[in-house]
Amino acid sequence: MPRLLLSLALILAFNLLTSLISGSVQAQVPFPAPPAEDAAPEAAPTSQSLQSLLDVLRDEAARNALIGELEAVVDGGIDPDPAAETTEPEQTVARRVADSTAQFAEGTLAAVASIWRDLRGIRSLFAEMPGDKMDRFANGWGPLLLTIASTVAIVWILTRAIDGWLRRGQRTSRSPGLRATFLAVVINALADAVVLVLGYAAGLLLALLVFGQDGDVTLEQTLYLNAFLVAGAIRIAIRAFVHPDRPDQAISHLSAAIQRTIYNRVKLVNFLLVYGIVAAVPIANAWFSLGAGRSIRIIVVTLAAIIALLAIRKVSRMLASEAQTAGPEASHTVSPGADMEADDVVDVIGDASIQAAATLWNRIWPWLASAYVIGVYAISVTRPRMMGEVIGTATLKTLGALALVALVFRVMKHAAAARAPVPRAIRGAMPELGGRLDGLAPLFLRLLGVASLLAAIALFVDGWGIVDVGGWLAGEAGGGLLWRVSSALLIVLFVILVWSVISSWIDHRLSLDLDGANVTARSRTLLALFRNAFTIAIFIFGIMIALSQLGIDIAPLLAGAGVIGLAIGFGSQKLVQDIITGVFIQLENAINEGDVVTVGGISGAVEKLTIRSVGLRDLNGIYHIVPFSAVDVVSNFMRKFSFHVEVVGIAYKENVPAAKDAMFEAFERLKAMGEHRVFILEDLDMHGVIALADSSVNIRARIKTHPGKQWAVGRAYTELVKEVFDERGIEIPFPHRQVFVTNETEKD
């Protein structure tokens, strides 16, 4: 399969080369067809024919007749000269193949002849130069070498100094995150730009003041300095993506060895092309001849193409080797299962998709890169005038697309561990907001990566003229679609941010660990209900607005929602009753979360409260969901205050005032206990004897407490009453039976 793909790529490149060659030969070396022997010379119009035409135009009837004939000819009704029509027979497939083969052979021979002619120009380098050429060479090579040596030395010194300073400043960031990596890339690029500008300025000043001729910079020095500036700018762009010394501070996520290999090879190709085309070729034209310049151009682009193809092959092998080495480790990745959370499943699927995309890209990029190198080489040796157009448009857009792809892979590598850029003060004030936004950050980065990949594909196909993406976006259809999609995405993003802020604020208010916060049960209940209603409302309205921005008519959706709501209202009367009753219960503040209530014959603590039902947890730990339609009476044990009612039975033989005094003493002991004293609101309310039961005299007293504390206070008070009664010998009767046995004398 690889050999077949390589053959196809070579065939395509060769066809591109030959078509360009044939086009170049036809455009530059026209061959006019010889006139036929029997062809009569074209007769020039005479004065007699012109006079006849004037007579026809002056006569109105003749002029109208002529106009009618011409209109009939235009409409296809009359053939002005049927005899002149010649119908050429349709060419057969064999004839077309023969013509293509002939053009192919002629184009190939012409290209080979042109390349050989250019290469023979290298002989002028060793031929005797004319006097003016010799003088220019003698006066130009010395200042040029001094300028080259000075700029190289200055750049070397500045690079070492700034690299040392950067290493000391970035020593602590051994494994930087995504933001730290981009910051390091920007700092390194700025440092390289400073070195480049200083080196260029120093070389220009030295060429002007020291190495120039009569205070002027020579043409050779100017060409070299221009090449120095262009090559340096390209080097800065290369180091932003692959850094040989600090690979963790580059946009690319490749290993150090691969980054070093790519950087060295691309730097060499950059050196050959820029210095060769921008400086060496014009200097050779000026010193020797145009043939020498063409020869140097052919040699330079050939060497650059060979180095590029070998580099592509080496890098692809290194990537394959690293992939095989990391294969066993990658096979242990977690796959989605039934025991995984939804967020974990999303992360696993996202990582698997990224890995599959990276594997596919690693397989196809060598063929694309090789085809590109071969195609550019064919253009450079056959149509050098097209190099500016190819490099200025297609190559730059291709490099931009590759930069986007590298950036996407770098971002996706850190997507799972991404955190939202929330300021520390806001994280401290609302920790829930930071956690919620941190959970959304990986999804946002993955969506951004998909959009960047689409932009890279669009940039690539637009650069090579496959699809005019720029023209389509500039038009009404493309621009409108881009604006609609962008506005819809911005609306969705805004809705998510607003929902995150409001929900985090509500969670913050509902937190029980807030120092000094006065969050009542009523506030917690209303905030929880508001969060649910706000979530439903904002997402429904946000989705509707986003759909309307995309050009979708939401009127049918709204009408359909109304019809569905009406149908639900008629068909689900119980649901409507639940909601209406729940609304009035909330308006009357009858139930709040945390209250102990009795609804529908079930008593328990309220754990969850919605607009339709209430969730209770009873004393046995059973959770009950009671719909409001089943609630006739709400008994709330926790409103304003509560009472513990103590009913004590004493024996009939006991003194009632003594029993009351014992109950007051138990109450005093209760108030002495610190954990219960704060919950007692008033003194003991003694009611006295309330019943003369079968075996006891019942005495009742009541203790007023904070809401919800009556049970704990009551348990403690009952225990103390038993303790005081035992100390005073007051009997608490219990049901018992007396059996009387009589002794009777048996009679015989």
Side-chain angles (χ1 to χ4, degrees):
M1 188 65 180
R3 293 182 178 179
L4 177 59
L5 292 176
L6 179 60
S7 303
L8 291 175
L10 292 176
I11 291 172
L12 291 174
F14 194 69
N15 287 336
L16 173 63
L17 172 64
T18 53
S19 63
L20 293 174
I21 292 172
S22 61
S24 177
V25 170
Q26 293 175 4
Q28 298 178 9
V29 189
F31 295 96
E37 294 181 359
D38 56 349
E42 186 179 356
T46 61
S47 58
Q48 184 177 0
S49 59
L50 293 176
Q51 185 62 38
S52 301
L53 179 60
L54 287 174
D55 295 337
V56 172
L57 295 177
R58 289 169 181 169
D59 188 359
E60 183 176 359
R63 184 173 66 252
N64 293 332
L66 178 61
I67 293 175
E69 293 178 1
L70 292 176
E71 289 177 350
V73 170
V74 172
D75 294 336
I78 300 176
D79 190 352
D81 191 5
E85 181 180 3
T86 57
T87 303
E88 296 183 359
E90 184 180 357
Q91 292 184 353
T92 61
V93 176
R95 177 63 181 274
R96 290 198 296 269
V97 171
D99 293 341
S100 300
T101 305
Q103 293 179 1
F104 172 78
E106 293 175 359
T108 303
L109 292 177
V112 171
S114 176
I115 295 173
W116 176 250
R117 183 175 63 252
D118 291 340
L119 287 175
R120 291 179 61 187
I122 198 71
R123 296 181 302 176
S124 60
L125 296 175
F126 308 100
E128 183 177 358
M129 293 185 294
D132 56 343
K133 299 281 187 181
M134 180 63 70
D135 294 339
R136 186 160 192 171
F137 173 76
N139 295 328
W141 72 270
L144 177 61
L145 291 181
L146 292 174
T147 305
I148 294 173
S150 61
T151 52
V152 170
I154 292 171
V155 169
W156 186 84
I157 295 172
L158 292 176
T159 301
R160 294 298 179 272
I162 293 183
D163 280 348
W165 176 73
L166 290 176
R167 288 178 185 277
R168 288 192 298 271
Q170 300 171 351
R171 187 176 299 173
T172 57
S173 59
R174 296 182 179 178
S175 299
L178 190 61
R179 284 182 291 177
T181 299
F182 288 151
L183 181 60
V185 168
V186 173
I187 293 175
N188 292 332
L190 291 177
D192 293 338
V194 170
V195 172
L196 177 63
V197 171
L198 291 178
Y200 178 80
L204 184 60
L205 289 176
L206 291 175
L208 183 62
L209 302 177
V210 180
F211 306 136
Q213 295 178 355
D214 299 330
D216 295 330
V217 180
T218 63
L219 175 63
E220 294 81 0
Q221 292 172 318
T222 302
L223 293 172
Y224 165 73
L225 290 174
N226 292 338
F228 171 81
L229 191 62
V230 174
I234 296 176
R235 177 177 172 271
I236 293 174
I238 296 170
R239 284 167 64 90
F241 291 92
V242 286
H243 203 294
D245 302 324
R246 294 182 292 275
D248 56 341
Q249 297 178 7
I251 295 177
S252 175
H253 66 290
L254 302 173
S255 63
I258 295 179
Q259 289 195 33
R260 189 176 299 107
T261 302
I262 294 175
Y263 176 77
N264 293 332
R265 299 302 190 276
V266 176
K267 184 178 69 172
L268 182 56
V269 172
N270 175 39
F271 176 84
L272 284 173
L273 291 178
V274 175
Y275 284 99
I277 303 299
V278 177
V281 171
I283 292 175
N285 292 335
W287 283 357
F288 301 100
S289 64
L290 296 178
R294 289 195 296 268
S295 300
I296 292 176
R297 178 179 57 80
I298 294 294
I299 295 172
V300 165
V301 296
T302 302
L303 289 176
I306 293 173
I307 294 172
L309 292 174
L310 294 178
I312 292 170
R313 183 180 182 185
K314 183 175 182 179
V315 172
S316 63
R317 288 184 175 181
M318 294 177 69
L319 287 172
S321 177
E322 288 191 358
Q324 292 178 358
T325 304
E329 299 179 358
S331 62
H332 296 290
T333 55
V334 181
S335 58
D339 57 342
M340 297 184 64
E341 299 291 338
D343 295 340
D344 298 333
V345 174
V346 172
D347 292 338
V348 170
I349 293 175
D351 295 338
S353 302
I354 295 169
Q355 185 65 29
T359 303
L360 179 62
W361 172 251
N362 290 333
R363 289 181 178 178
I364 65 175
W365 78 264
W367 307 103
L368 296 176
S370 300
Y372 168 76
V373 171
I374 295 173
V376 172
Y377 175 74
I379 294 174
S380 64
V381 298
T382 57
R383 291 188 175 182
R385 294 182 179 179
M386 291 183 58
M387 286 299 295
E389 180 182 354
V390 172
I391 295 176
T393 56
T395 301
L396 289 179
K397 291 183 178 180
T398 302
L399 293 177
L402 294 177
L404 277 177
V405 172
L407 181 62
V408 166
F409 284 131
R410 182 73 183 201
V411 170
M412 292 301 180
K413 182 181 179 182
H414 299 275
R419 294 295 178 265
V422 180
R424 185 174 301 176
I426 297 180
R427 285 185 180 271
M430 286 194 298
E432 296 84 1
L433 178 60
R436 187 170 277 109
L437 293 180
D438 288 341
L440 294 174
L443 177 61
F444 176 75
L445 286 180
R446 289 190 174 100
L447 292 178
L448 184 61
V450 172
S452 300
L453 284 178
L454 294 177
I457 295 173
L459 191 62
F460 177 79
V461 299
D462 182 73
W464 290 99
I466 301 174
V467 177
D468 188 10
V469 180
W472 180 71
L473 291 177
E476 182 178 356
L481 179 61
L482 181 62
W483 169 252
R484 290 194 297 271
V485 173
S486 302
S487 59
L489 291 177
L490 288 177
I491 290 171
V492 173
L493 179 61
F494 177 75
V495 167
I496 293 175
L497 290 178
V498 172
W499 171 80
S500 301
V501 172
I502 299 299
S503 298
S504 300
W505 178 79
I506 294 175
D507 292 341
H508 181 69
R509 292 286 298 167
L510 294 178
S511 177
L512 298 178
D513 298 332
L514 295 178
D515 296 332
N518 186 17
V519 183
T520 63
R522 179 64 174 169
S523 300
R524 292 169 52 224
T525 302
L526 294 179
L527 286 174
L529 293 175
F530 173 74
R531 178 178 55 189
N532 296 334
F534 176 76
T535 299
I536 295 173
I538 192 173
F539 277 105
I540 288 178
F541 283 112
I543 292 174
M544 289 295 181
I545 296 174
L547 291 176
S548 65
Q549 288 295 319
L550 291 175
I552 300 175
D553 188 9
I554 62 174
L557 297 178
L558 296 176
V563 172
I564 293 174
L566 187 61
I568 292 175
F570 282 111
S572 303
Q573 296 182 11
K574 278 290 185 181
L575 177 62
V576 176
Q577 185 178 357
D578 291 340
I579 295 175
I580 294 176
T581 307
V583 169
F584 281 102
I585 286 176
Q586 294 305 318
L587 291 177
E588 295 173 357
N589 193 18
I591 302 176
N592 289 320
E593 288 187 8
D595 290 352
V596 178
V597 297
T598 298
V599 291
I602 301 174
S603 298
V606 178
E607 290 190 356
K608 185 178 181 181
L609 190 65
T610 65
I611 200 68
R612 192 196 69 86
S613 63
V614 58
L616 302 177
R617 181 82 61 182
D618 64 10
L619 188 61
N620 297 321
I622 301 174
Y623 185 74
H624 305 271
I625 297 179
V626 181
F628 285 129
S629 60
V631 176
D632 296 328
V633 178
V634 177
S635 301
N636 197 319
F637 296 89
M638 302 180 65
R639 278 294 177 272
K640 294 184 179 180
F641 59 88
S642 298
F643 283 107
H644 166 67
V645 179
E646 185 75 20
V647 179
V648 180
I650 62 174
Y652 275 92
K653 67 177 182 178
E654 302 294 341
N655 188 5
V656 173
K660 291 181 179 180
D661 185 65
M663 294 177 68
F664 276 108
E665 183 180 350
F667 180 73
E668 294 299 328
R669 292 185 184 184
L670 178 66
K671 290 195 298 181
M673 300 175 64
E675 64 270 22
H676 299 296
R677 182 176 62 245
V678 295
F679 301 130
I680 299 174
L681 297 178
E682 296 178 359
D683 293 334
L684 182 67
D685 183 14
M686 177 60 68
H687 293 176
V689 177
I690 61 171
L692 298 175
D694 293 339
S695 59
S696 65
V697 178
N698 296 334
I699 302 173
R700 185 175 69 189
R702 190 171 66 175
I703 302 174
K704 189 176 183 179
T705 67
H706 286 287
K709 302 301 180 183
Q710 65 269 30
W711 296 287
V713 172
R715 289 190 296 268
Y717 180 68
T718 302
E719 183 179 349
L720 291 173
V721 168
K722 175 66 170 58
E723 181 182 336
V724 175
F725 276 20
D726 290 343
E727 291 177 357
R728 297 190 178 188
I730 299 175
E731 180 184 357
I732 301 175
F734 55 91
H736 59 277
R737 179 179 298 176
Q738 293 182 355
V739 179
F740 297 94
V741 180
T742 59
N743 294 326
E744 295 182 357
T745 305
E746 297 182 356
K747 297 180 179 182
D748 296 335

